Amino acid sequence: MRKPCCDKQGINKGAWSKQEDQKLIDYVKEHGEGCWRSLPKAAGLHRCGKSCRLRWINYLRPDIKRGNFAQDEEDLIIKLHALLGNRWSLIAGRLPGRTDNEVKNYWNSHIRRRLINMGIDPNNHKLNQIPPRPQPQCDSVVPSGSTDACKPKSDNSDRVSDSTSCLDDETTTGSSNVNLDLTMAFPSPSPTLVEENPQSTESMMVTSGQERESVPTLLLFS
DNA sequence: AAGTTTTCCAACCGCGTACGC
DNA sequence: GGCGTACGCGGTTGGAAAACT
């Protein structure tokens, strides 16, 4: 049996207070990220290191982008999910300012349901043979953040070919700064393989110039 | 207005893996 | 190579807020 990451005695759980947040921010600003195990004691926090790490990564980090997902971010999530599956950290790595937790939550609460309503299996991104119960008022793509607004749409007959129908739509807007180019390249000589092994490709470069920690080698041709 | 249900998201839990000894 | 520890990840849960009846 694995030892718990921290003893449960005297350890706070649940929502973080403003004071706790500030302590964590101050500590990380001064000492940088890392050493999560020893951080709580050093920072004067009654939390386990794991909890501190999560709070920092998912909420307190200064570069976190909060708020609704843009349409092209959502498109990108769908495409990446089709490629990578539930590897949220990898997907989030392609969405600047988004965390894996946020992407995962957004997938589960918005995108997944919408795909199902569109008759697309969210697991394999293929059209189901027999679409689920028709919900004609809600299956259209609505802007992010308004998922629950089932506004009637005048003509939504071609639900599969709209912008979120993932794999079919390779030509995306590019109107924002989200990089939708999924082509990844090696820093040197022309790669030709397509593989998916994050462990072995730790230092791969991404064509966008973004430096992301661990990205599987993906070569996609649109 | 009050009670109930649903939605959403922050946080927790447990497992796999990297790393140091 | 084996073992223990710490970190990172994905799945799941709990509760607040919003929507509905």
Side-chain angles (χ1 to χ4, degrees):
Chain A
M1 183 72 182
R2 173 184 287 251
K3 222 171 50 165
C5 74
C6 49
D7 64 1
K8 309 290 180 187
Q9 309 257 325
I11 294 292
N12 287 352
K13 289 175 77 171
W16 281 62
S17 67
K18 287 240 182 322
Q19 290 85 353
E20 286 178 308
D21 280 348
Q22 199 52 54
K23 279 182 182 178
L24 182 53
I25 291 168
D26 291 344
Y27 186 88
V28 174
K29 269 185 186 166
E30 192 169 345
H31 300 92
E33 295 180 40
C35 301
W36 298 108
R37 179 86 167 177
S38 54
L39 183 149
K41 197 174 175 186
L45 287 162
H46 300 289
R47 295 272 179 175
C48 74
K50 209 172 186 176
S51 179
C52 294
R53 176 185 156 271
L54 216 58
R55 182 65 178 171
W56 174 256
I57 288 175
N58 288 335
Y59 201 82
L60 298 175
R61 244 172 41 196
D63 58 327
I64 286 190
K65 189 201 290 182
R66 308 203 69 81
N68 291 343
F69 280 71
Q71 185 61 55
D72 44 9
E73 285 181 299
E74 187 175 317
D75 291 344
L76 183 56
I77 291 170
I78 293 170
K79 287 178 184 178
L80 289 169
H81 186 271
L83 292 162
L84 303 169
N86 295 355
R87 294 161 77 172
W88 305 114
S89 64
L90 285 177
I91 295 172
R94 298 284 293 175
L95 289 157
R98 300 296 188 184
T99 68
D100 56 351
N101 206 33
E102 199 177 6
V103 171
K104 179 172 61 180
N105 282 334
Y106 190 71
W107 172 269
N108 286 325
S109 61
H110 293 79
I111 302 176
R112 191 171 175 278
R113 190 180 314 148
R114 196 174 309 167
L115 290 181
I116 290 170
N117 285 341
M118 291 165 70
I120 296 170
D121 184 338
N123 298 314
N124 59 21
H125 294 253
K126 289 182 177 151
L127 259 180
N128 286 329
Q129 298 291 51
I130 304 165
R133 263 203 331 276
Q135 301 181 1
Q137 303 305 307
C138 298
D139 63 355
S140 60
V141 174
V142 294
S144 303
S146 55
T147 334
D148 302 325
C150 299
K151 303 187 186 86
K153 199 180 175 186
S154 56
D155 182 8
N156 61 353
S157 54
D158 189 5
R159 54 169 81 164
V160 180
S161 64
D162 69 23
S163 63
T164 34
S165 56
C166 51
L167 298 175
D168 296 339
D169 180 22
E170 287 299 324
T171 56
T172 45
T173 63
S175 58
S176 84
N177 60 354
V178 176
N179 174 26
L180 296 180
D181 179 9
L182 297 180
T183 307
M184 301 180 185
F186 289 85
S188 60
S190 54
T192 51
L193 78 165
V194 175
E195 67 170 26
E196 192 179 325
N197 184 359
Q199 265 66 42
S200 65
T201 56
E202 277 302 280
S203 57
M204 290 303 158
M205 279 181 71
V206 178
T207 48
S208 67
Q210 290 174 317
E211 290 188 11
R212 291 286 161 196
E213 45 286 297
S214 149
V215 181
T217 314
L218 292 171
L219 277 174
L220 305 171
F221 304 97
S222 51

